[in-house]
Structure formats: structure tokens, C-alpha cells
Amino acid sequence: MSTTPLRLTAPDAALAALLAHVGAPVPARHLLVAAALGHVLAEPLRAAGPVPAAPVALRDGWAVVAAETEGAGPYAPLPLMTTPRRVAAGDPLPTPANAVLPPFDLVLEGPFAQALQAIAPGEGVRGVGEEMGAGHVLRHAGERLAARDLPALAMLGVAGVAVRAPRCAWIATGDEIVADPTRDTLAPVFAALLGALGAELRVRPPVPDDPAAIAAALHAAVADHDVLLLVGGTGEGAGDRSAAGLADAGTLDVHGIGARPGMTAGGGAVACRPVLLLPGRAEDALAAWVLLLRPLLLDLMGVAAPTPATARLARSVASTVGLAELVPLRLGPDGAEPLALGALPAGALAAADGILVVPAASEGYEAGATIPICPL
């Protein structure tokens, strides 16, 4: 059987071809707050009213009328005309109290409670709207829900939120993986990468190196997913049939990108769903993640590409014009240290803090240059 030849496309053009199949961000889904952590919000989180809506105790103690404590001290206990109420932190303040006296600053002896310390109005109290004012936007649409947002959501009584979480089908190819699915060591890696980004990876049954079987697997997955990841068999070897399977199922827009590593990546669409040809080798697959998949998922979430961080290059990087080259970087006191050029070997990858993508038209960077850093 003939294979589909590689025709290198610039990474930016390859990404544009995939994005052409994205008409709009994925529809919003409602998740419970705990399940939505790290996901991109589809709607702003806004306080409908002030929080708290009425004054509450900021500490445990006695709810008192502050004016009645004026002049009180340890050696001059002052009887209170208004009966104090014991309150715990967070309790509504009873009328007409306007302060919370610490527990040890009041004694219950004789017919009246006695204050042992003066207190100012509002002391020990959280006033109306001091946590959040009415209309306060806690998070805008497109931002990620963080653990530090949980106390505010609890105060607002929010149990669930709307998020945009692309669903990605993982379809590994290869007769050897069909025989032993544990040989698919990339799925856990991408499950973690996608989960950290706020997307969802769903592992489908592996398929053999057969275009018809691959096409059938793509058709079976397309209805329930926003992106299809076809993994392995993306090269030009006799057993590499993924590109042919995609062409049979839909459209093959790109087979081969002008990048090192990641050269055999590609993509197209099935039933208007973007399909990414993900190489089976880890370093090539991770290059496709940096150059194609992560930007595609951010677009599906409705999130603008973040401004990359920058660092000073510790050593010069010489690159060959014609191919974009990925450089793993370790950040240290002397700047960003290149660990490899045009490769992501496992040891360098494990030590890296980020990636430099050297554009295809560049001959590299001199030591001391300020460079953009892509996250891993």
C-alpha cells in the first residue's frame, strides 16, 4: 500500500489550517465548583448583592453597643444597659449591637454584664459589602477558576459554574498497541497536559494500522468530541497509515510541518471537527502540543494566546534557516540555559522549565538576547 508523502507546512500555516475548522468556542458546560477548578469560565462570576448583606461578627465574642462601653477599663468595669449576645465569627450581628467585644473583656457578675474594655463602633465586625460589593466581578469570562476563588463562591452561594472545556478523543494507532494497550505511554502525558489547561482527554480503543479501521474510528468519535487526536503512524513508513485514514474519513489539510522535532505532525478535519495527527514519538508529540494542539485548545476555549514570558539567553543558539527548531531551556541565575537544539530528549525535557521556538527564518540568538519562552 502506498503512503501519504510528507509536504512540510510552516507551523503557523498548519495551525491556521486547523483553526479554520473552528467556527466558535465550544459550548459552555456547567460543572460543580470542585470539578471546575482550573477550567476556563464561560461567564463572568459576579456578586448579585453585597457580601455580607448585613453586618456579621468578625470574631468570637460579645455583640454590644459600642457607646455603652465608653470609659470602661480593667479597673473600671462598666455595666451595660443593653444585654450583650454571645456570637461566633460569621454570625449576623443582632440589633442594636454595632461591635464585638472579645470574650475576656466582659464579665457576667451581678445584675448587669460589665465591660472591661472600651470598643469603637464597627470593631470586630465585617460591615455590609466589605467582602464584596454588589456587582463585583470575581472572575471574567475567559479566566480560570482557581482554588483561591472558593471562599468567595461559598459566600455567594455558588455551587456550579459554566466552563468551556474541550473534549478531546485520543485514538492511538498501531497493531502493537492493539495487541497490548499498555504500550501507549503517551496517553497519560497528554491527559495531564490537557487537564492542566482545562480540557478533557477521553481515551478511545486503539485501532490497527489500516486506513479503513482508522477512518471508522474517527467517524465513531466525531459526534461526542470537539477535537480528535490520531496518535502514531504519522510518518512515511510502510506501517504509517494515519494520514491515509484521515484522508479517507474527511480532509487531510497538512501532513508534515516545518519544525524539528514534530516534523511528521499534521491535521485536517472530519465532519467539521479538527483532527490532529500526533506523532507517536514523545518528543515529536510534545512539539506538536506546543506548536499546534495547545493554541488550538485555547482558541476553542475562547482564550487569547497569553503573552509569553521572556528571559535572557545564557548561551548562544545557532539554528539552520528553513525549519523552526525547539530548544528546551532551564532557567537559572545566569539566564535561560539551552539544553538541546531541535530536539527534546527525555533528560533535557525533564530538566526544562520552558521551550524556545526558533523561527524558521532565524539563524538563532546570541548570548544575552531576550527570548520568548513557551510553557511546557
Side-chain angles (χ1 to χ4, degrees), residues 235-327:
E236 297 179 288
D240 292 329
R241 312 301 295 154
S242 290
L246 173 54
D248 288 350
T251 61
L252 176 64
D253 298 325
V254 175
H255 186 205
I257 61 173
R260 194 176 62 162
M263 193 174 293
T264 66
V270 173
C272 299
R273 291 285 195 273
V275 180
L276 179 62
L277 294 177
L278 204 60
R281 282 204 323 152
E283 63 178 315
D284 295 301
L286 289 168
W289 159 254
V290 171
L291 298 171
L292 302 177
L293 181 53
R294 182 167 53 199
L296 172 64
L297 293 174
L298 290 175
D299 192 78
L300 285 166
M301 294 174 186
V303 177
T307 302
T310 59
R312 185 179 61 84
L313 192 61
R315 288 190 293 108
S316 63
V317 170
S319 179
T320 302
V321 173
L323 288 176
E325 295 193 287
L326 276 66
V327 180

Side-chain angles (χ1 to χ4, degrees), residues 160-203:
V161 294
V163 301
R164 299 196 192 278
R167 300 160 301 176
C168 302
W170 180 271
I171 305 172
T173 69
D175 296 338
E176 72 286 358
I177 293 179
V178 172
D180 181 7
T182 63
R183 297 185 64 171
D184 180 11
T185 57
L186 278 180
V189 176
F190 276 78
L193 290 172
L194 268 66
L197 194 68
E200 178 185 353
L201 189 71
R202 298 175 174 182
V203 178

Side-chain angles (χ1 to χ4, degrees), residues 28-371:
R29 286 194 280 158
H30 280 81
L31 297 178
L32 293 176
V33 166
L37 285 175
H39 286 76
V40 170
L41 294 165
E43 300 169 356
L45 294 179
R46 182 180 286 109
V51 179
V56 298
L58 191 56
R59 63 189 176 198
D60 297 344
W62 296 95
V64 298
V65 176
E68 295 183 8
T69 70
E70 187 174 349
Y75 301 105
L78 189 67
L80 301 178
M81 303 308 296
T82 304
T83 303
R85 290 271 302 276
R86 189 69 185 253
V87 292
D91 285 349
L93 212 62
T95 304
N98 62 356
V100 175
L101 198 66
F104 46 81
D105 282 339
L106 185 138
V107 293
L108 297 171
E109 294 180 0
F112 296 102
Q114 300 176 68
L116 302 180
Q117 194 65 259
I119 191 170
E123 190 174 342
V125 175
R126 182 139 286 170
V128 174
E130 285 190 11
E131 295 280 3
M132 286 175 281
H136 173 79
V137 177
L138 178 66
R139 290 281 172 196
H140 293 277
E143 291 188 278
R144 296 183 188 281
L145 188 67
R148 62 182 179 275
D149 300 326
L150 298 185
L153 293 181
M155 291 177 185
L156 293 172
V158 174
V161 294
V163 301
R164 299 196 192 278
R167 300 160 301 176
C168 302
W170 180 271
I171 305 172
T173 69
D175 296 338
E176 72 286 358
I177 293 179
V178 172
D180 181 7
T182 63
R183 297 185 64 171
D184 180 11
T185 57
L186 278 180
V189 176
F190 276 78
L193 290 172
L194 268 66
L197 194 68
E200 178 185 353
L201 189 71
R202 298 175 174 182
V203 178
R204 306 276 295 183
V207 294
D209 297 310
D210 174 67
I214 292 169
L218 290 170
H219 282 301
V222 73
D224 298 326
H225 297 89
D226 304 298
V227 179
L228 307 181
L229 304 177
L230 192 56
V231 188
T234 62
E236 297 179 288
D240 292 329
R241 312 301 295 154
S242 290
L246 173 54
D248 288 350
T251 61
L252 176 64
D253 298 325
V254 175
H255 186 205
I257 61 173
R260 194 176 62 162
M263 193 174 293
T264 66
V270 173
C272 299
R273 291 285 195 273
V275 180
L276 179 62
L277 294 177
L278 204 60
R281 282 204 323 152
E283 63 178 315
D284 295 301
L286 289 168
W289 159 254
V290 171
L291 298 171
L292 302 177
L293 181 53
R294 182 167 53 199
L296 172 64
L297 293 174
L298 290 175
D299 192 78
L300 285 166
M301 294 174 186
V303 177
T307 302
T310 59
R312 185 179 61 84
L313 192 61
R315 288 190 293 108
S316 63
V317 170
S319 179
T320 302
V321 173
L323 288 176
E325 295 193 287
L326 276 66
V327 180
L329 302 168
R330 179 169 51 203
L331 301 180
D334 297 326
E337 178 75 19
L339 302 176
L341 173 62
L344 299 175
L349 189 65
D353 298 303
I355 300 288
L356 166 64
V357 180
V358 182
S362 173
E363 294 182 349
Y365 297 93
E366 296 292 335
T370 299
I371 56 167

